[in-house]
Amino acid sequence: MALQLGQLVFPKRFFSEVCEPKPNIQQIVEVKCRQHRLIFSGAKPNVSETIYQPTIWSHDFIQLLDDNFPINCKEKLRELEKNVIAMNVNFENGSFSTLEVLEHIDDIDRLGLGYRFQNHIRRALDTIITPIYEVHVGHEESLHEASLRFRIHRQHGYTVSQDFLGGFKESQGGFIGSLQTDVKGLLSLYEASHLGFMEESELHEAMLFAREHLLKQLKCRENDAQVLERINRALEVPLFHRMLREEARYYIDAYNKREDANLLLLELATLDFNMIQATLKTELKEVSKWWENMGLAHKLGFVRDRLMECFFCAVGMVFEPQYRSCRVGITKAYTLVTVIDDIYDIYGSLDELEMFTDAVKRTHAGVFTSGLQSSLQYDNRNEFLYTSIGQGEDILPILVKVWVELFEAFLLEAKWTHNKHIPTLEVYLDNAWRSVSGVVLLTHGYFLFNQEINRDVVESLDMYHDLMKWSSVIFRLYNDWATSSDEIEQGKTANAISCYMHENDVSEEVARKHIKTLIDEAWRKLIKVHLACTKELANPFIDMAINLARISLCTYQYGDGHGAPDARARDQVSSVIIEPLMYNYA
């Protein structure tokens, strides 16, 4: 009997060796602890022993989740959607001011309803795209309107210029003094500035200006609690960087407190959130059964049991209910990536890992040779790669390629650890943006979005290289930002911060400032590539790459939310997937 690991099949004899170690196994000679993570060299660990903290989301708990969504609520959803469509038509035909249209679109997006009204949003934006930046300085909401117009258009793929900022500057070049106390305008300017490109220096200047004066507004006693909350939230994470489902949950609650809230939009957003959440619970139950049947978390005690965290990442990448197969496929891929990462970090000796990697590189030949003391067989009828993606033969070489590159990246990092080598930051990042697995997840997502595989789809994947690269760079840098401190203390494992410290002989504080700069630059490069791709092609995959960067920040903002999830990480998962919004279903 064999245990299937994605496209790899581990024969039973592998687990007779791996899961039943000899009673006189040599003591571990080197232990490196990083938030419950151990890296071993020398003798193999007792792999039946749990190294990471156990999952807080058991299979039994998941199976008991209530994923029922009442039929009458589905009917109510359809009725509400029709009413909102009728309302949107009024916003498209010039019945409202430009500012009212922009704020209406912003509300729809932030309430999580944008996917329902994409065509209406585009038609409304088309009507206000032409010469847009004739701002009347001194008008209370001029900076707010101009900044909002820039942000909404750019995030929806329109080509707009930073030149609107000129209307808010003195002749000497600095921003007009009266803007320093325009809280609404400063908030909108700050959010807009985070959609700038690398070369758009004026938007970077605007961000510094807005942040400086928003920080001063936090000390202003005249601001009420809601204003202070908005400022704090913007400064903590700019809107464009936030995970979409988490933002929707927050904004629905915040919108409910507004006196000017559109009750039709609010009810639709609440029901829509709960409907999507019920759908997610159904999918989660499905992948949990798959993961339980795989048995890897039970068989290999040294690996991370992180099904829920992998599913949360998939939801962060693509939440729309019509993309069920994409979420399920990405979740499966990510759980396997996590297991394989732990094999390279914990289980295998360097010789074994080299043999294992070589075996993976020859998957196209049909049979793996020895690796990790096992015989591995390739199955080209595998459910994971075929029924979840499609029957196109053309995609197989691409999937094999990205998996092989991931294994090779893991191996290089294992060699660095084994040889106690710290590379330069440039050398490290050239490998690390691949080893973080973003390319694997996005490639699977790409083919899962495009179920009807054809040659044009396969060939067009190359167009997205930079999109995947910069999304993965952000993924990697956020990961290293959260997980490096304990590794630096040990001085054994390369990461972005330790590499910069070692290369430039600087403190951790200085290195972190530099990495923060690299993260900001990567975001700006990603935004430019995102806009360029959006102009050429209409594909939900483009947004998924941005969403990978967003979920990376969400996961690693306060610590290692994947490897060592804490109470905050648990609450994030619960708010998006487990706990519905209050709604009177009577």
Side-chain angles (χ1 to χ4, degrees), residues 196-199 466-467 469-471 473-474 518-532 546:
F197 306 150
M198 278 291 294
E199 63 271 23
D466 286 347
L467 191 69
K469 175 183 177 179
W470 292 114
S471 180
V473 167
I474 293 169
L518 292 185
I519 291 173
D520 292 341
E521 291 177 354
W523 267 110
R524 294 179 183 277
K525 291 174 181 177
L526 177 61
I527 289 166
K528 186 170 185 178
V529 174
H530 178 265
L531 186 65
I546 290 281

Side-chain angles (χ1 to χ4, degrees), residues 77-288:
L77 261 175
R78 287 190 288 269
E79 177 187 343
L80 288 168
E81 184 176 37
K82 290 178 181 178
N83 292 335
V84 172
I85 288 173
M87 179 174 60
N88 289 341
V89 171
N90 292 327
F91 281 91
E92 296 168 30
N93 63 19
S95 301
F96 292 87
S97 70
T98 296
L99 180 57
E100 288 172 325
V101 172
L102 290 167
E103 290 181 332
H104 178 66
I105 292 172
D106 194 37
D107 287 337
I108 287 175
D109 282 338
R110 296 182 67 180
L111 289 167
L113 297 173
Y115 78 98
R116 286 182 175 268
F117 306 112
Q118 290 179 350
N119 292 334
H120 296 274
I121 289 173
R122 181 156 292 275
R123 285 196 294 269
L125 290 177
D126 283 343
T127 65
I128 56 175
I129 186 62
T130 54
I132 57 179
Y133 300 123
E134 298 177 1
V135 181
H136 303 288
V137 177
H139 177 58
E140 183 181 355
E141 293 186 342
S142 292
L143 180 60
H144 165 60
E145 180 176 343
S147 300
L148 183 61
R149 190 197 302 259
F150 173 86
R151 174 172 66 81
I152 295 294
H153 276 93
R154 181 161 284 190
Q155 73 186 29
H156 281 278
Y158 288 79
T159 300
V160 288
S161 170
Q162 65 172 346
D163 292 348
F164 78 96
L165 293 170
F168 300 96
K169 290 190 172 183
E170 304 278 10
S171 57
Q172 298 88 346
F175 283 94
I176 296 170
S178 61
L179 299 177
Q180 296 177 9
T181 56
D182 178 7
V183 177
K184 194 170 187 178
L186 288 171
L187 281 167
S188 293
L189 180 63
Y190 186 73
E191 298 292 11
S193 71
H194 283 86
L195 280 94
F197 306 150
M198 278 291 294
E199 63 271 23
E200 292 180 321
S201 57
E202 288 189 71
L203 277 169
H204 183 67
E205 178 189 347
M207 180 190 69
L208 298 178
F209 171 81
R211 182 166 60 195
E212 175 188 356
H213 295 289
L214 285 172
L215 285 169
K216 291 179 180 179
Q217 288 299 318
L218 287 176
K219 302 176 183 178
C220 180
R221 296 181 179 179
E222 295 179 4
N223 291 322
D224 61 29
Q226 288 188 0
V227 170
L228 294 177
E229 181 183 357
R230 287 185 61 199
I231 294 174
N232 273 315
R233 185 168 174 81
L235 293 176
E236 183 181 28
V237 180
L239 177 60
F240 191 71
H241 295 184
R242 295 178 199 160
M243 178 198 179
L244 298 182
R245 282 287 86 188
E246 191 174 41
E247 172 62 16
R249 173 95 193 205
Y250 167 83
Y251 197 68
I252 290 170
D253 288 336
Y255 192 73
N256 188 38
K257 299 173 184 176
R258 280 173 40 177
E259 293 182 1
D260 63 340
N262 183 306
L263 299 182
L264 182 62
L265 270 183
L266 180 62
E267 185 175 10
L268 176 62
T270 303
L271 268 180
D272 181 79
F273 185 93
N274 287 351
M275 180 272 292
I276 290 177
Q277 191 181 79
T279 300
L280 297 179
K281 289 176 185 177
T282 301
E283 295 165 5
L284 179 60
K285 289 182 179 183
E286 175 187 338
V287 291
S288 184

Side-chain angles (χ1 to χ4, degrees), residues 431-459:
N431 184 73
W433 75 265
R434 296 177 173 87
S435 70
V436 78
S437 78
V439 174
V440 168
L441 301 182
L442 289 169
T443 301
H444 278 272
Y446 177 80
F447 289 124
L448 287 160
F449 272 137
N450 296 279
Q451 294 286 341
E452 299 298 326
I453 304 299
N454 57 60
R455 185 165 298 277
D456 289 341
V457 167
V458 172
E459 292 175 352

